[in-house]
Amino acid sequence: MNKKKKFYIKTWGCQMNDYDSLTIANILKKNKIYTDTNNYYEADILILNTCSIREKAQEKLFHQLGRWKQLKNQNPNIIIAVGGCVANQEGKKIIKRSNFVDIIFGTQTLHRLPKMIEKHNKTKKISIDISFPKMEKFKNIIQPKYPNFSASISIMEGCNNYCSFCIVPYTRGKESYRPIKDIIKEVSKLSEQGIKEIQLLGQNVNSYYHIGTSGKKYTFSKLLKKISMISKIKRIRFITSNPMDFTDDIINSYYEIPKIVSFLHLPIQSGSNRILKLMKRPYSVEKYQDIVYKLKKARPQIQISSDFIVGFPGETQEDFEDTINIIKKINFDMSFSFIYSVRPGTPASKLKDNVTLIEKKNRLKILQKQIKKQALNWSNKMINSIQKILVEKIHNINENEFIGKTENYRTVIVKSKKNLLGKIIKVNITKKNKNILHGKHIQ
């Protein structure tokens, strides 16, 4: 019997990249001749799934490849494959700088990786495929097994918005949507495997749109309704949303579908209308506030997290103060915040960047300090409250301790002599220890 080839995947970036890496692993393991490993020193195939959302992504890639080159020097039979957004963006340039790379695959061609490996084994030639075959990737998805009763599923790919700072439309392509029947089929299968919480993924998830075989039109709100009818699915999350497409029918879903969690990640990027216009974000701060107002009317307890870019070209101190003011006004809980970085080929790369790095770092520090303060306040407010948690794993078997997650991503430790794994239970939060909450199971 031939020994199985071991592969190792290193992933950078968003939840979509994590999902893609799971897909890659499952496609390879389906072939029966491959198995995964967590130790890259023993791998026969090294796979790097890249992200290009931040500056110097290319340098990060080449530094990693430099480390892997040493392994290839010791064993020339090792195959090195580069995929993801940087692969789409750089293509052949990667080979010019690192000629020991064997395979380059794109965000839409990851399902072709087994054949690319097979071809390389036969010919020893470099293989590059960074094309955009529409929907082919989704037709080849092999459903992964999730260990913690929560699973992610991609419902779309790409983006049509072309924000001035963003490289995603160039690396992921235009929006394409999975057929609703395929999504429902996959979620149903996951529910039969014990999954209780589903997270829908997409670059702009709430723009989802599909016309069924009968001619019926399905929007994102209708998709949410269909998923909510799967009885074994108890929680629904989704990421990432664009305020531009957060329509009233989606907001109404918070009235109609209790399974949607009372936590939403809704990127605003800046609190200044002038900067939003430069970013080519087609909404105003007032429009964003109106969405949040309607959401809080539907779900008074809802918490909102967001994305912020600090130091965008032309951002004045007044613009930054507008951002801090909206952070306080909305009372955001958590955020992803970054210093603006130039992405070559984007419209913003042509703007004059007149904010010094020192000032950018100072503004980011102020912003993150404010968000941290608010997130801490949200956690403190939870003490003595009743929360629902999805119990994910055993924390300490000797102490009968389990760990679960609240709807707003807080980790809770709860004691019980009963087996709570995979159950959504009510817990009275009794105390907080650093970032961990402790609670008492309400029978």
Side-chain angles (χ1 to χ4, degrees), residues 6 32 38 59 146 148 183 269 295 378 386 413:
K6 293 181 180 179
K32 307 286 187 184
N38 292 321
E59 293 309 308
Y146 292 87
N148 290 334
I183 296 170
Q269 303 298 358
L295 282 166
W378 277 112
I386 306 300
I413 294 175

Side-chain angles (χ1 to χ4, degrees), residues 38-39 152 180 297 428:
N38 292 321
N39 184 356
S152 296
I180 194 163
K297 192 174 180 181
N428 180 24

Side-chain angles (χ1 to χ4, degrees), residues 314-352:
E315 182 188 74
T316 63
Q317 182 62 30
E318 184 180 355
D319 294 322
F320 176 67
E321 287 172 5
D322 286 342
T323 298
I324 296 298
N325 287 337
I326 199 66
I327 287 172
K328 292 177 180 178
K329 191 168 186 177
I330 301 293
N331 196 12
F332 287 109
D333 176 25
M334 308 181 195
S335 77
F336 296 102
S337 50
F338 308 95
I339 289 173
Y340 168 75
S341 58
V342 177
R343 307 314 299 125
T346 60
S349 65
K350 298 175 183 178
L351 297 175
K352 184 179 179 181

Side-chain angles (χ1 to χ4, degrees), residues 191-315:
S191 74
E192 293 301 323
Q193 293 173 13
I195 294 299
K196 299 294 177 64
E197 176 182 273
I198 202 76
Q199 177 162 249
L200 308 177
L201 300 179
Q203 274 74 35
N204 188 17
V205 71
N206 49 332
S207 69
Y208 177 85
Y209 184 81
H210 177 70
I211 299 177
T213 51
S214 64
K216 188 174 181 179
K217 297 176 182 178
Y218 290 96
T219 58
F220 184 60
S221 60
K222 289 180 179 177
L223 173 62
L224 290 172
K225 186 70 174 177
K226 292 273 288 184
I227 291 172
S228 73
M229 293 167 69
I230 301 171
S231 61
K232 291 182 180 180
I233 295 298
K234 304 300 182 183
R235 276 187 184 175
I236 303 172
R237 300 183 185 272
F238 50 89
I239 194 170
T240 295
S241 298
N242 190 312
M244 177 185 71
D245 294 309
F246 215 93
T247 47
D248 285 344
D249 60 314
I250 299 174
I251 293 170
N252 288 337
S253 297
Y254 283 83
Y255 285 105
E256 299 166 0
I257 307 173
K259 289 183 178 182
I260 299 175
V261 299
S262 295
F263 187 89
L264 174 68
H265 185 72
L266 187 63
I268 188 172
Q269 303 298 358
S270 173
S272 163
N273 282 332
R274 190 178 72 83
I275 295 300
L276 288 176
K277 193 172 181 180
L278 287 172
M279 289 178 169
K280 294 191 176 179
R281 300 285 284 184
Y283 56 86
S284 65
V285 173
E286 291 74 23
K287 170 65 175 174
Y288 186 95
Q289 287 178 288
D290 185 55
I291 293 168
V292 173
Y293 169 78
K294 290 176 180 177
L295 282 166
K296 287 187 176 181
K297 192 174 180 181
R299 293 281 183 90
Q301 73 275 31
I302 197 168
Q303 290 170 238
I304 313 289
S305 67
S306 192
D307 291 349
F308 298 95
I309 295 175
V310 175
F312 191 81
E315 182 188 74

Side-chain angles (χ1 to χ4, degrees), residues 17 49-52 83-90 107 168 171-172:
N17 268 28
N49 192 11
T50 62
C51 172
S52 63
C85 291
V86 177
N88 272 102
Q89 187 180 340
E90 297 297 304
T107 54
V168 167
T171 58
R172 291 263 179 189

